[in-house]
Amino acid sequence: MRRQRFDIVTLVWEIFELLEQQAAQRGTALQLFPPVLPEAGIQVVADRNRIRQVLVNLIDNAIKYGRDHGRVVVALVESGRSVRISVRDDGAGIAPEHQGRIFERFYRIDKSRSRESGGSGLGLAISKHIVEAHKSTIRVKSTVGEGTTLEFKLSKPKSGRVETKG
Ligand SMILES: Nc1ncnc2c1ncn2[C@@H]1O[C@H](COP(=O)(O)OP(=O)(O)OP(=O)(O)O)[C@@H](O)[C@H]1O
Ligand SMILES: [Mg+2]
């Protein structure tokens, strides 16, 4: 874990660029919410590479398991000392009996369909591990036939920076 201060907005754009081709193949729109974000970005304190790995997996999942010509929305919402980061798709959703198990290693709901879309079933197990190493929790909310949201929080930098006066 290498905790550092960085802008989560820039990171999300970077990942959108990385997954642009894959999204285009399914006709999926990648969107950021709110559409107009603070010019200075949104600062968080976390291990940037590891959080990148989490977001790549969540957005990759949202594209793979979302619907064709659907959309994937990454929302960044500041509340108090933290920023809530969520990734939402409008795919088939995850039935309640599977929701608790998708974080297990190698757990894949529809083996044949999942095999088609590649992957090993490790992404969410690794993501959970990384988010928990940040003393946070990853949660799933899903409605069959409507879609799925995965979300977690990261800390904002402490205010009270030393400021030099003119
Ligand atoms: N957004 C989603 N909508 C519907 N099902 C999902 C979604 N995200 C994950 N799942 C289900 O949870 C399983 C586990 O996800 P996970 O990211 O761990 O593995 P994977 O994507 O199949 O493989 P890998 O991430 O290792 O490439 C998936 O195989 C899929 O069945
Ligand atoms: Mg995955």
Side-chain angles (χ1 to χ4, degrees), residues 22-23 26 28 57-68 72 89 108 113-114 116-121 123:
Q22 189 189 329
R26 298 211 60 196
T28 306
N57 180 57
L58 296 184
I59 298 169
D60 170 71
N61 283 353
I63 297 168
K64 280 194 301 195
Y65 306 114
R67 64 179 176 88
D68 287 330
V72 170
D89 66 60
R108 314 190 70 192
R113 187 160 180 275
S114 298
E116 263 171 48
S117 40
S120 54

Side-chain angles (χ1 to χ4, degrees), residues 9-118:
V9 179
T10 305
L11 179 61
V12 173
W13 284 124
E14 230 176 83
I15 300 168
F16 278 4
E17 228 170 274
L18 178 79
L19 299 176
E20 189 174 72
Q21 298 285 330
Q22 189 189 329
Q25 278 170 16
R26 298 211 60 196
T28 306
L30 301 177
Q31 300 174 349
L32 196 51
F33 181 89
V36 180
L37 287 150
E39 224 173 284
I42 299 176
Q43 303 294 315
V44 296
V45 177
D47 185 322
R48 192 180 194 276
N49 278 329
R50 300 272 168 87
I51 294 304
R52 186 176 197 280
Q53 201 182 340
V54 171
L55 285 172
V56 167
N57 180 57
L58 296 184
I59 298 169
D60 170 71
N61 283 353
I63 297 168
K64 280 194 301 195
Y65 306 114
R67 64 179 176 88
D68 287 330
H69 307 289
R71 62 178 185 152
V72 170
V73 181
V74 176
L76 303 171
V77 178
E78 296 182 76
S79 67
R81 301 280 304 276
S82 56
V83 180
R84 192 177 69 238
I85 300 156
S86 63
V87 178
R88 184 179 91 220
D89 66 60
D90 46 14
I94 302 171
E97 63 267 31
H98 294 298
Q99 286 178 17
R101 301 203 60 190
I102 55 172
F103 299 102
E104 292 173 15
R105 286 190 295 159
F106 309 116
Y107 192 80
R108 314 190 70 192
I109 296 166
D110 179 342
K111 306 286 185 273
S112 58
R113 187 160 180 275
S114 298
R115 201 177 305 115
E116 263 171 48
S117 40

